């Protein structure tokens, strides 16, 4: 009894840490007001201005604004020539959002394993999974940690397939000083409200290839209704585009603050079974979420412990597991032991700019106090 009281006296009071960043953008209202006087469709100049701002920010030759990150993947698959019956390689450690567009295209998702230390596709697994029907590889850097996209660019070129990057988590993540999008044939982004650049719903793709850019734009506009080229409507409307253009101006500062918060927290975590996930050489994460590698006998118990103390984990929120373990995807099962071990051996911690120093201290205290039973 007495010892219980002693422990409680030194335990920090419970808090609820939000994993959702609700930034305030004071100029949003004026921006929307001014946009209402202009054309509001997806072919509005407002959208063109947003696309120019995106290609400037990311240093890409072309940006195509689209209605969602999922739409960006569907458009990218079409642009690189994926047809019904083709195979598309991807790692199974990503969200369901990445695989459904492959199935919707009539193509077959083929799961390749990750490397042992991170979520990038393993080159040997890529080679071993190649068939004459393989058209593309989608690599998905999770939670904003860079993957070896430079090596994947070289391998996909050698194998004659296209490299699509799903960078929905990775705005501002760099490898060797370049944004990750620099290495993909097509790079897809989401601007869903939970992502770093938020327009409610929305997405875009980037490419340096003129032909892929034209195919993407045409497809997302019903083939320009010319009756020759097939397409669907995946255009982004002008109001979210105006929001995106306005909010893009604070993206770099937001990422700086995330990096600062992650550094602050990591300096205060002193638990022998917890450390940051390995960052690939030459890479800098954007810290969409801080990733911690866990070495407990029961990692799920640690995640539950933090969750009970108000520190949420994406692993728990989304029930993250290899995609072929979900009922809808069982028929695509392959052996991906690295991906399974990575997901089972980690958790995510929010470090967005809405988290205060007190909250970071609280998170560190919760982690450091944990004793596995
Ligand atoms: C959010 C997300 C998507 C889907 O983006 P939407 O804009 O919600 O369609 C795709 N891939 C990944 C990795 C995501 O996190």
């Amino acid at each position: 009894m007495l010892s219980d009281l002693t422990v409680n006296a030194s335990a920090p009071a419970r808090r609820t840490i939000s994993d959702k960043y609700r930034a305030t953008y004071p100029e949003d209202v004026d921006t929307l007001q001014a946009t209402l006087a202009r054309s509001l469709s997806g072919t509005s100049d407002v959208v063109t201005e947003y696309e120019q701002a995106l290609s400037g920010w990311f240093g890409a030759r072309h940006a195509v604004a689209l209605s969602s990150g999922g739409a960006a993947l569907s458009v990218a698959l079409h642009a690189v020539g994926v047809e019904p019956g083709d195979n598309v390689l991807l790692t199974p450690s990503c969200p369901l959002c990445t695989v459904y567009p492959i199935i919707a295209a009539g193509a077959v998702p083929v799961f390749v394993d990750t490397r042992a230390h991170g979520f990038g596709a393993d080159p040997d697994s890529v080679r071993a999974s190649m068939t004459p029907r393989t058209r593309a590889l989608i690599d998905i850097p999770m939670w904003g940690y860079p993957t070896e996209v430079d090596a994947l660019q070289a391998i996909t070129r050698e194998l004659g397939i296209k490299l699509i990057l799903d960078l929905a988590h990775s705005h501002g993540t760099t490898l060797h000083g370049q944004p990750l999008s620099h290495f993909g044939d097509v790079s897809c982004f989401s601007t869903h409200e939970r992502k770093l650049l938020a327009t409610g719903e929305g997405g875009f793709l980037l490419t340096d290839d003129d032909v892929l850019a034209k195919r993407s734009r045409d497809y997302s506009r019903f083939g320009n209704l010319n009756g020759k080229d097939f397409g669907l409507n995946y255009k982004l409307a002008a109001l979210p585009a105006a929001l995106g253009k306005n909010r893009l101006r604070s993206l770099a500062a937001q990422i700086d603050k995330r990096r600062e918060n992650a550094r602050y927290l990591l300096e205060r975590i002193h638990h022998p079974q917890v450390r940051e996930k390995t960052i690939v050489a030459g890479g800098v994460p954007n810290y969409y979420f801080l990733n911690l590698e866990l070495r407990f006998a029961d990692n799920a118990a640690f995640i539950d412990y933090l969750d009970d103390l108000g520190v949420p984990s994406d692993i728990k929120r989304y029930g993250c597991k290899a995609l072929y373990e979900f009922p809808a995807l069982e028929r695509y099962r392959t052996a991906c032991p690295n991906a399974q071990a990575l997901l089972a051996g980690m958790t995510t911690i929010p470090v967005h700019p809405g988290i205060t120093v007190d909250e970071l201290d609280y998170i560190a205290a919760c982690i450091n106090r944990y004793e596995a039973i």
Side-chain angles (χ1 to χ4, degrees):
M1 206 50 197
L2 195 63
S3 69
D4 273 353
L5 283 174
T6 315
V7 170
N8 285 339
S10 60
R14 189 187 186 284
R15 291 165 173 260
T16 303
I17 309 297
S18 174
D19 57 8
K20 188 168 174 184
Y21 177 41
R22 290 228 58 121
T24 50
Y25 298 93
E27 285 147 41
D28 275 356
V29 173
D30 287 347
T31 300
L32 290 173
Q33 182 89 52
T35 306
L36 284 172
R38 305 176 64 184
S39 164
L40 296 183
S41 82
T43 51
S44 167
D45 289 344
V46 177
V47 180
T48 309
E49 290 164 15
Y50 174 47
E51 291 176 339
Q52 285 163 354
L54 287 170
S55 57
W57 199 92
F58 287 90
R61 198 165 151 82
H62 302 279
V64 181
L66 296 161
S67 52
S68 70
L73 287 160
S74 289
V75 172
L77 289 166
H78 171 83
V80 304
V82 169
E83 290 183 0
D86 284 347
N87 291 350
V88 176
L89 312 181
L90 80 164
T91 49
S93 39
C94 62
L96 290 160
C97 321
T98 313
V99 70
Y100 287 161
I102 299 173
I103 297 170
V108 181
V110 176
F111 292 116
V112 297
D113 207 357
T114 63
R115 304 217 197 200
H117 60 263
F119 287 110
D122 175 58
D124 293 337
S125 186
V126 169
R127 284 182 200 284
S129 307
M130 285 294 295
T131 72
R133 301 271 352 219
T134 307
R135 290 285 168 271
L137 163 68
I138 307 183
D139 196 58
I140 310 104
M142 292 296 293
W143 293 290
Y145 280 68
T147 57
E148 292 89 341
V149 285
D150 51 345
L152 294 177
Q153 180 184 48
I155 291 160
T156 49
R157 280 186 182 166
E158 176 205 321
L159 295 172
I161 63 173
K162 295 293 186 193
L163 178 61
I164 297 174
L165 300 178
D166 181 348
L167 302 181
H169 293 183
S170 301
H171 317 63
T173 296
T174 60
L175 183 69
H176 308 309
Q178 300 275 8
L180 295 189
S181 52
H182 175 76
F183 299 91
D185 289 301
V186 185
S187 298
C188 300
F189 292 82
S190 166
T191 59
H192 180 271
E193 145 156 81
R194 292 188 74 85
K195 307 295 161 69
L196 277 86
L197 179 64
T199 62
E201 298 283 354
F204 59 92
L205 66 74
L206 303 175
T207 181
D208 290 334
D209 184 308
D210 296 349
V211 174
L212 294 180
K214 180 168 181 346
R215 282 177 63 83
S216 298
R217 197 174 293 285
D218 293 350
Y219 184 68
S220 63
R221 300 177 170 200
F222 282 130
N224 300 315
L225 295 174
N226 65 13
K228 286 200 316 275
D229 303 312
F230 186 74
L232 292 167
N233 180 6
Y234 288 125
K235 298 191 299 296
L236 184 71
L239 287 174
L243 275 187
K245 184 173 171 236
N246 187 44
R247 294 176 169 197
L248 190 58
R249 291 190 279 132
S250 4
L251 183 56
Q254 182 199 141
I255 293 168
D256 285 346
K257 185 65 188 165
R258 288 171 178 275
R259 288 176 176 151
E260 185 187 317
N261 284 349
R263 210 162 36 239
Y264 181 93
L265 186 53
L266 288 167
E267 280 165 7
R268 283 158 184 79
I269 294 176
H270 306 291
H271 195 296
Q273 275 125 317
V274 178
R275 65 166 195 214
E276 185 178 20
K277 185 164 79 195
T278 308
I279 300 171
V280 306
V284 185
N286 63 7
Y287 289 101
Y288 177 50
F289 281 83
L290 173 65
N291 280 193
L292 296 179
E293 225 173 83
L294 309 178
R295 289 160 182 252
F296 298 104
D298 185 353
N299 291 329
F302 175 74
I303 292 172
D304 286 340
Y305 156 86
L306 284 184
D307 191 59
D308 286 345
L309 290 171
V311 183
S313 169
D314 262 13
I315 298 290
K316 190 172 162 107
R317 170 190 281 278
Y318 296 108
C320 293
K321 55 186 173 184
L323 286 184
Y324 49 72
E325 297 188 313
F326 287 100
L329 300 166
E330 261 167 7
R331 83 189 82 151
Y332 304 112
R333 176 179 285 276
T334 59
C336 298
N338 288 344
Q340 286 187 218
L342 278 173
L343 287 172
M346 67 166 289
T347 193
T348 67
I349 302 283
V351 288
H352 60 73
I355 308 261
T356 63
V357 168
D358 281 354
E359 288 176 328
L360 293 170
D361 288 337
Y362 172 77
I363 296 168
C366 291
I367 291 172
N368 293 334
R369 288 172 57 83
Y370 184 69
E371 285 175 46
I373 310 138

